[in-house]
Each structure stands twice: as C-alpha cells, then as structure tokens.
Amino acid sequence: MLKGNVIYGQSGGPSSAINSSALGVILESFAHKDVISKVYMMHHGIGGAINDDLIDVTNESVEELEKLKYTSGAFFGSIRYKLKPAEEDETDYKKILETLKKHDIHYFFYNGGNDSMDTCNKISKYLNKVGYPCRVIGIPKTIDNDLPITDHTPGFGTSAKFIANSFIDVSLDNYSYPQGRPIIIEVMGRHAGWLTAASSLANLTGYGPDLIYLPEVSFDMDKFLKDVKRIMDEKHRCLVAVSEGITYKDGSFVAKATKAVDAFGHARLGGVASSLASEIDEKLGLNAKSIELSFLQRGASLVASKTDIEEGVNVGRKAVEFALNGETDRMVTIIRTSDNPYKVEYKSCHLQDVANIEKKVPLEWITKEGNNLTSEFTKYCLPLIEGELEHSFKNGLLDIPHFKNYRK
C-alpha cells in the first residue's frame, strides 16, 4: 500500500454537485488514516498545486464538511488554466512536483470536465515520466453532461431539474393571460445540448417548451419563424428552449460570438435568446421575451437532485478507493445497469479516452423535425433528477460550511 497524503482540486465551471465529490474524497480519505495522514484541497484548482496554495481540511469537523452537499459553486476555488504540454514547457509541472514532494502527497484527484481530464492526464504522464510515485484519478463533473464513456456526470442531474422546473414556472406565468407571448429561454450548451434537452421533461406536466433547439441539429431561421407563428396561431403563446451554441448549416453561431475566448480557446457565447426574440419582433410583429438562465442553472442547490448529489459523493469516494487499490491515470465512470429500477455501478476508464472528447445528444433522441426530444431521452434523463435533499437553513438562509482553514 502506497502511503502518503491526498491532494484534491476543482476545475472548470462550478456545479451543485462538485462539492459533494470533494466531500466524498475527504470522507473516504479519513477512513484510511493508516495510509493517508493529511488531506489537502488545491486553492483554485491546479493553480493551488502550482503555487503551493493548499487548504488543509484534515482537522475540519465532519459536521461542517457534510454541509458541502448543500453548497453550490466550487467551494475550494476553481480555475480555467491550460497546461502546456510538458515537452514544450516543464515549468508548471516542476512546481507541481515540488508541492507534492513538500507535502508528501502521493494521491492526486482532479474534479472537472473534458479540459480538466486533459490536465489530469498531462500531470499523470509527467509524474510517471519523472518516476514520482503518485496515483492520479480524474473525478467527472460537468453540468454539460458531455464526458464520454460515463453514462452521465454529477452536476447534470441537478441542473436538469432546475431547468425543467424553471420552464414549468415560466410556462404557467405565460398561461396566466388570455393572450400570451413568445418566450425564448437560453440554456447553456456550446456543442452538446444535454441541458437544453432537459427542458423537455417539463412537458410531462403539460407545461413545457413547444420548441427545443440543440447544437446537434443545424438551425434554420425561416423554419423557426414559421414554427413560432404556427404555435402562436394555435395556442396564443409559445415557449422555446434554445442552446447558447446552436449554429446555422455553415457552422456559424446563431448568437454573435465575441472575439473573447477562455483559457482553452473556446469562444464566449451568449445572447442567442435575445437575437431570436428580435427576429420574432421584426419578422412576425410579435412582442417576444428573452430569458437567459445563465449561472443560475449551475447552482440550483435549492432544487438539488438527491440522486445527483449522492452520486457526486460516490464518485469522490470511488476515486480514493480505486487509487488505494493501485489504479492511476484513470477517471471514475458511472455505468447504468438498470432503468427501472434505476441502478448504477462505478468503474474507471483511461484518462486519455475522455480528455478533450465531447459526448453529444444522440440524434435518434431528437425528433425528425429537429425541434424536440423523443421519449428515449425522457427515459434516460428522468431518473437523474429524482429525489430531494433536506436542506439546512439558518435564519431562512442556506447554512454554508465554515472551516477553520478556509480561504475564499
């Protein structure tokens, strides 16, 4: 058994489940004190490892730690930072290695999505190259649900639940008047439409979107306007779900992407709902309303899916368990074994098989018209939003954890 301390980091966009995975790593590490003496959190992801900026949670109370299950954001700090290949520049890698040696760390856990798994994979390969004994495990997290191999990712279920219920709320509001209006709701999703697809679950109540547009299908403005007019003529109101990253047939974004990009070179999107509302106003003469869910869909702790949060804890625990059993350069995966009743098991895959690879909504789950989802998507997604947590409140406000060594 490899003895040594643990380091854990959060990366990429926050979610309502990432802190649950942190909790899973911490609690499982505490359960193996014969092997693991200290548990460190990277302060702001890989930046914490590079700069020796760590948060020691070894002596924090379990009671406070448990509150992580109800806490949004990346509580220990996230980051979007692209490591250069070690063959080009070893500067960051050498600093990380110094931090690991200084704190006797031999277990490295990184929690995030596609780009984060790329970071994890690079570090694993470097440590193996220099011969430093350290087991590296990736922990899946992305509300976008676009990591391959795993059935789904923690964070998606709660965001999907928030999105579906938000559409119900907006739809009920729109049905309050004899004459409603076209309402366009923009949902996150650059190349994969999982989050926007989740809006279709609201139709199980009879108050869901009439039209749904995902990046997986090319967008046709003329057809869109015809569909909106048809539905307005029939129902006197129309609710539309649209992914921020929908594109025309030529691949150009419907939203006017700015020249700004993030650390990984991704264009910053936004504004597709307002663009479509303007088209409706101008071409159809209807008073359309646009809504952008924005960061609200990343938090959503008040409507957290119990299934999602429990699986978030479990992938954290499994990461430690797999590493203690000798696995390295792997990512924890969730494998669905049954739909009814819903059951999963936890396995692992090679980091290189998931790094920088996106899983998209299967085309067969999108209707032939390209503007809605089939029952197969409902069957897939519904179990992921089920169950509610008993939240902890103080004075009507969420009871956020307070740690002795915590730093914002």
Side-chain angles (χ1 to χ4, degrees):
M1 184 73 72
L2 179 63
K3 289 189 176 183
N5 297 323
V6 160
I7 193 171
Y8 162 90
Q10 300 177 322
S11 180
S15 81
S16 58
I18 192 170
N19 295 320
S20 297
S21 294
L23 176 63
V25 169
I26 295 167
L27 294 182
E28 191 64 28
S29 297
F30 284 179
H32 300 277
K33 292 183 178 179
D34 57 326
V35 179
I36 299 167
S37 300
K38 288 184 175 293
V39 181
Y40 297 101
M41 305 285 106
M42 302 178 207
H43 193 208
H44 294 295
I46 198 62
I50 293 170
N51 300 313
D52 189 22
D53 184 9
L54 309 183
I55 300 171
D56 186 347
V57 297
T58 308
N59 297 315
E60 301 292 350
S61 74
V62 173
E63 181 181 2
E64 285 299 308
L65 288 166
E66 287 282 351
K67 295 177 185 177
L68 287 169
K69 289 191 291 188
Y70 318 110
T71 304
S72 296
F75 195 68
F76 298 101
S78 187
I79 196 170
R80 294 190 188 277
Y81 185 82
K82 187 176 180 64
L83 285 175
K84 295 179 181 178
E87 297 79 15
E88 295 179 12
D89 187 350
E90 290 190 30
T91 304
D92 286 339
Y93 298 90
K94 288 179 178 179
K95 290 180 179 179
I96 293 169
L97 181 57
E98 287 176 9
T99 298
L100 299 184
K101 288 180 176 179
K102 177 180 176 180
H103 299 282
D104 193 28
I105 293 166
H106 295 283
Y107 294 95
F108 183 106
F109 303 103
Y110 211 47
N111 202 172
N114 313 78
D115 296 325
S116 303
M117 294 306 111
D118 176 59
T119 297
C120 205
N121 188 36
K122 287 175 178 174
I123 291 170
S124 176
K125 285 179 166 47
Y126 178 78
L127 295 179
N128 182 61
K129 174 187 172 184
V130 299
Y132 183 76
C134 186
R135 293 171 188 166
V136 179
I137 302 288
I139 303 172
K141 175 282 315 173
T142 170
I143 65 170
D144 293 319
N145 197 41
D146 58 354
L147 278 171
I149 301 178
T150 186
D151 178 80
H152 56 277
T153 53
F156 170 67
T158 292
S159 292
K161 186 172 186 173
F162 171 81
I163 290 165
N165 283 288
S166 294
F167 271 80
I168 293 171
D169 281 341
V170 172
S171 183
L172 287 167
D173 184 282
N174 205 21
Y175 267 97
S176 299
Y177 305 96
Q179 179 67 41
R181 63 200 304 187
I183 298 178
I184 320 298
I185 301 182
E186 179 177 331
V187 183
M188 286 180 174
R190 181 184 308 274
H191 300 302
W194 295 98
L195 287 171
T196 308
S199 67
S200 67
L201 299 181
N203 283 313
L204 295 174
T205 70
Y207 291 92
D210 300 291
L211 301 167
I212 302 174
Y213 298 96
L214 313 183
E216 285 80 357
V217 177
S218 298
F219 184 79
D220 185 319
M221 184 65 78
D222 290 336
K223 185 176 184 303
F224 164 72
L225 293 171
K226 288 179 182 177
D227 285 342
V228 170
K229 185 179 186 308
R230 171 177 54 80
I231 292 167
M232 287 296 297
D233 289 343
E234 293 173 0
K235 301 174 62 175
H236 308 296
R237 67 205 82 242
C238 180
L239 184 59
V240 180
V242 57
S243 292
E244 63 180 350
I246 58 170
T247 61
Y248 293 113
K249 194 173 183 179
D250 64 1
S252 63
F253 288 111
V254 175
K256 301 298 185 289
T258 67
K259 293 182 179 180
V261 296
D262 64 18
F264 289 87
H266 305 313
R268 291 177 181 169
L269 301 177
V272 66
S274 60
S275 295
L276 294 179
S278 295
E279 287 288 329
I280 292 172
D281 289 348
E282 181 182 339
K283 302 291 175 57
L284 301 181
L286 297 169
N287 183 17
K289 175 73 174 177
S290 65
I291 299 172
E292 187 176 345
L293 294 181
S294 190
F295 292 159
L296 291 173
Q297 63 204 297
R298 291 208 310 213
S301 61
L302 289 176
V303 293
S305 157
K306 186 177 181 181
T307 297
D308 188 34
I309 300 304
E310 288 180 346
E311 290 182 347
V313 174
N314 290 342
V315 293
R317 282 189 174 276
K318 286 294 179 181
V320 177
E321 179 184 315
F322 292 164
L324 289 172
N325 287 335
E327 292 194 32
T328 189
D329 199 31
R330 312 280 291 182
M331 185 192 82
V332 180
T333 58
I334 302 173
I335 306 300
R336 189 181 307 213
T337 58
S338 173
D339 283 312
N340 189 21
Y342 171 72
K343 292 181 181 179
V344 301
E345 59 184 27
Y346 299 91
K347 295 188 176 182
S348 70
C349 66
H350 289 289
L351 282 169
Q352 66 183 17
D353 292 336
V354 293
N356 297 318
I357 301 172
E358 290 179 312
K359 177 182 70 177
K360 299 188 177 184
V361 178
L363 292 179
E364 59 267 28
W365 290 1
I366 303 172
T367 59
K368 292 181 180 179
E369 295 78 14
N371 57 17
N372 220 308
L373 280 296
T374 70
S375 60
E376 284 301 306
F377 175 80
T378 302
K379 179 181 176 183
Y380 164 83
C381 193
L382 198 58
L384 308 183
I385 72 168
E386 292 184 348
E388 286 72 45
L389 295 175
E390 293 184 8
H391 287 75
S392 177
F393 289 87
K394 278 188 178 180
N395 301 317
L397 302 173
L398 283 170
D399 189 9
I400 304 301
H402 293 85
F403 301 142
K404 291 174 285 188
N405 294 326
Y406 177 73
R407 301 190 305 282
K408 290 183 179 179

